[in-house]
Structures are given as structure tokens and as C-alpha cells.
Amino acid sequence: MNQYKVVMTGRLMTPALERIQETCEVKLWEKAESIPHETLVDWLKDAEGLVVTGDIQVNEELLQYAPKLKVIAQSAVGYDNVDTEACTRHGILFGNTPGVLVETTADLAFSLLLCAARRIHEGWNFVREGSWNRGSKISLGIDLAGKTLGIVGMGQIGVAVAKRAKVFGMNVIYYNRNRRLDDHETGATYQSFDAVLAQADCMIVLTPLSKETRGLFGASQFAQMKRTAYFVNMSRGPVVDTNALFDALQTGKIAYAALDVTDPEPLPGDHPLLTLSNILITPHIGSATQETRTAMSQLTADNLLAGLNDKPLPACVNAK
Ligand code: GLV
């Protein structure tokens, strides 16, 4: 029975999609490129539910075209693309997917750090281009044991990263808006942002994107870091000033960067960052495992269906 009208700007995993389709009439945008604004506006005019993807800006302007909307669900923990205050003004609940992606995202953060520290991709490129038997000129990596890891943004994922770092024998320091009351559990030490910049041998950035964190890492921050520092960004691209990062890597202000997020995103194939050898970039795959994407899709469906049925959302950002 197609009780509710729902718009989806991208796919969820099939079991979650089928669950939604059991009770909803779904308009689903399946193409790789973003749904055109005019199509979205047209589809939204009678929609009660929206499953939105991170490429869509949900703001006052868009919501004016959606007079019947009750609930928006996004399969992500970050929601910098969504004006949640505008949602609240329009009486629309917004749900995200915290919790279910914590371990997976921490795994990728730590994988990037390990790959960076051991210069895995330079080694792999060297082998693949057939240079192995021509004398090794690959850069030496660094040991993680005994090094100081700075974590900027100590939410659940930061805690999971800190636990991994401890197992690898690292000393962990962190900066967060507030000190965590449970930091004795990971042994991570709270420091000022400047102290983390100055002391970290390796840095993992996990902070959400907000007015306060946009451009948090610029030329002056890279200048304060150790010239030997390894820098990993797992948060959102605009937390880092891309030009400043390019300059820091090119001029040796820091040693290496591994990024799962970039600005712009996707990164064009001819972007200057791709000309550097001391960089590793993955295409925003922090949560991209079968199990985690399945769990995120199910939580997204739970949020959507709860909102449509006037029930509390299991993970609501702007609960009444
Ligand atoms: C991914 O970036 C997320 O916010 O879940």
C-alpha cells in the first residue's frame, strides 16, 4: 500500500529501499550526477518524506518548495549540507546515522595513517611501474610506536581512533570544543589547538564542518606543525584550506597528507594536489563497507518511516 510520497536523491542499500517501498510511493534519482534542482523542486511539491544525499543543500529556499514535507533522513553522520534550523522552522524532523559507522570510519582513519606512515602507495606505484629492480629510491616512512598522535574533533570516532592508536604504542593528545569527561578511558590528553598543532607527529582531523571549523587548517596552522608531520583529514574538505595544504606539502612545511575528503569534492582529475607524491587521497569512503552501509541504510529507513508515521525518530538531530 503506497501510503506516503517519498523523494530519494540517491539509492540506499536494497533491503532498506524495499522496506520504504512497501508503504511509500518513491521517486528515486539513480543517476551518478546530482539531481537537477528543477527536478528536485518538482518532485518535492507533494512529498511527505525526503531521503537526501550530501550533494544536496537543504535550506530555506528548497524547503519552500516542499509544503507537505514531514521528515528528512540522510544516510550519514555529518549534515553540514542541511540547515536544521530551517527544517525546524518548517516543522520538519531531520534524522542522521550516528553510531553505526564509528568503528568503520575509525578503521579507515587509522588505515590512512598507516598507509601514509609506511608510504605504501609510493611503494606500490614503484612496483607497478616496474622500477623494483632498478634500485630503490622510495621515501622512508616513520614508525608509529612512540609518536604523538593529535586528534582534532574528539567525538565517538575520535575515541575509536584513540583506542587504535594506543594499541600501536602512540601517545594521544586531542583538541575538542570541550574536554571529554571520559578521556581517562583512552588515556588521551586534552590540549589547546595550538599545543596539538605544535606537538603532533601525526594528526587526524575528525571535526564536523561548521562556521567555526571551516578553514580551521590554513597556512598559519600548517606553519605551526612539525615539518615531519603526517596529516590525515577524515572530516570534511572545507575544514582544510586546499591551497594552503598544497603549499605546505610542496614546500615541506609538513611531510605528508592522506585525505578521505577534499575541497572541491569530487576532486577533478587534473587538480594540482594530484601532482604531488607526498599525498594519498581516497574518494570519501569513510563508511564504505557492506555491513556499515547496510546498517546506515536501515537507520535511514527507520528515521524516515518513523517520521512519516508520527513516531519519534531513532536518531533525530532537531527533536521537538
Ligand atoms: C560521511 O562523511 C558521514 O558524514 O557519514
Side-chain angles (χ1 to χ4, degrees):
M1 188 179 48
N2 293 336
Q3 232 175 313
Y4 303 111
K5 291 193 186 328
V6 166
V7 169
M8 297 178 62
T9 65
R11 273 191 75 86
L12 294 177
M13 300 291 275
T14 304
L17 175 60
E18 286 177 353
R19 204 148 63 80
I20 293 171
Q21 284 169 327
E22 277 168 22
T23 51
C24 303
E25 183 188 317
V26 176
K27 286 198 168 107
L28 170 62
W29 183 260
E30 294 207 74
K31 296 193 185 146
E33 68 268 17
S34 292
I35 184 169
H37 187 66
E38 55 281 14
T39 307
L40 180 56
V41 160
D42 178 47
W43 285 9
L44 280 177
K45 60 180 188 283
D46 56 358
E48 295 151 286
L50 168 64
V51 175
V52 76
T53 40
D55 53 326
I56 305 297
Q57 293 300 315
V58 176
N59 50 27
E60 188 62 49
E61 191 259 341
L62 185 74
L63 295 181
Q64 286 179 7
Y65 296 107
K68 299 196 173 153
L69 208 53
K70 293 166 73 173
V71 57
I72 302 176
Q74 178 159 277
S75 184
V77 66
Y79 50 88
D80 45 276
N81 60 313
V82 178
D83 181 343
T84 55
E85 286 172 12
C87 292
T88 305
R89 280 196 297 278
H90 284 256
I92 298 167
L93 295 175
F94 172 71
N96 67 340
T97 62
V100 292
L101 45 66
V102 168
E103 298 300 331
T104 308
T105 309
D107 280 350
L108 188 77
F110 214 76
S111 304
L112 287 179
L113 179 59
L114 279 168
C115 285
R118 300 309 305 269
R119 315 293 284 233
I120 300 277
H121 286 77
E122 281 158 277
W124 165 231
N125 288 335
F126 187 75
V127 173
R128 188 162 51 181
E129 72 193 18
S131 303
W132 193 351
N133 61 355
R134 284 193 232 124
S136 169
K137 284 218 189 72
I138 50 174
S139 314
L140 295 178
I142 58 163
D143 288 338
L144 292 186
K147 295 289 191 311
T148 294
L149 171 64
I151 298 177
V152 173
M154 193 64 144
Q156 283 179 290
I157 300 170
V159 169
V161 169
K163 288 182 180 157
R164 284 158 177 74
K166 281 283 160 187
V167 174
F168 278 75
M170 301 187 85
N171 166 44
V172 183
I173 58 177
Y174 74 99
Y175 173 70
N176 198 43
R177 263 179 314 179
N178 302 304
R179 181 178 173 174
R180 287 191 70 102
L181 298 175
D182 59 357
D183 58 11
H184 55 277
E185 287 172 21
T186 53
T189 311
Y190 185 59
Q191 303 270 5
S192 69
F193 183 47
D194 284 350
V196 173
L197 288 174
Q199 290 174 38
D201 299 302
C202 306
M203 176 84 82
I204 298 185
V205 185
L206 289 160
T207 184
L209 175 62
S210 65
K211 281 199 296 292
E212 293 74 33
T213 63
R214 186 175 288 275
L216 185 65
F217 285 85
S220 76
Q221 287 68 36
F222 290 120
Q224 286 177 71
M225 288 170 64
K226 294 185 181 179
R227 296 184 82 83
T228 50
Y230 279 63
F231 178 81
V232 177
N233 188 11
M234 287 288 298
S235 60
R236 286 289 186 266
V239 170
V240 175
D241 175 335
T242 302
N243 292 334
L245 176 64
F246 177 82
D247 176 69
L249 290 167
Q250 198 183 38
T251 59
K253 292 192 183 75
I254 63 170
Y256 196 101
L259 314 173
D260 186 47
V261 289
T262 57
D263 180 24
E265 199 170 293
L267 200 66
D270 60 353
H271 194 278
L273 280 181
L274 301 177
T275 62
L276 299 169
S277 61
N278 50 347
I279 196 162
L280 166 61
I281 302 176
T282 49
H284 203 145
I285 53 168
S287 62
T289 65
Q290 190 72 29
E291 299 87 338
T292 294
R293 285 287 167 86
T294 299
M296 290 166 72
S297 289
Q298 291 291 11
L299 182 49
T300 304
D302 291 344
N303 279 334
L304 178 82
L305 296 172
L308 290 172
N309 288 293
D310 297 318
K311 304 226 168 76
L313 274 55
C316 190
V317 171
N318 63 341
K320 283 177 203 158

